[in-house]
Amino acid sequence: MQQHIYKIVEIVGTSGVSIDEAIQNGVARAAESLRNIGWFEVLQARGHVSGGRIDHYQVTMKVGFTLEGGGHE
């Protein structure tokens, strides 16, 4: 039976356009450093307001990925 061991990291994605883009930017950037990303979970969405308008979005999320090796495969 194949066993998977996962690692979870917390990141903050940002965007000047939307929450969705902040998520996409965060996952894409994490994928530059992490292999085997399998899922994400949004923990918090917030933004910066300037002059009465939304200026920037920030999304805190957990990103999970499968660890390689370990002899369990």
Side-chain angles (χ1 to χ4, degrees):
M1 177 176 179
Q2 186 176 17
Q3 297 180 14
H4 297 282
I5 305 299
Y6 300 95
K7 173 78 175 167
I8 300 170
V9 296
E10 191 170 290
I11 65 171
V12 178
T14 64
S15 169
V17 176
S18 69
I19 288 173
D20 181 63
E21 186 174 278
I23 294 168
Q24 296 287 345
N25 290 344
V27 170
R29 179 60 183 87
E32 292 177 15
S33 301
L34 304 172
R35 291 187 301 272
N36 305 318
I37 293 176
W39 56 269
F40 72 92
E41 174 186 359
V42 173
L43 303 175
Q44 183 181 50
R46 63 185 170 277
H48 179 262
V49 177
S50 178
R53 299 184 62 98
I54 296 173
D55 183 57
H56 207 82
Y57 300 87
Q58 294 180 338
V59 178
T60 303
M61 61 190 114
K62 290 182 181 179
V63 176
F65 59 96
T66 306
L67 294 178
E68 296 176 340
H72 298 287
E73 300 172 323

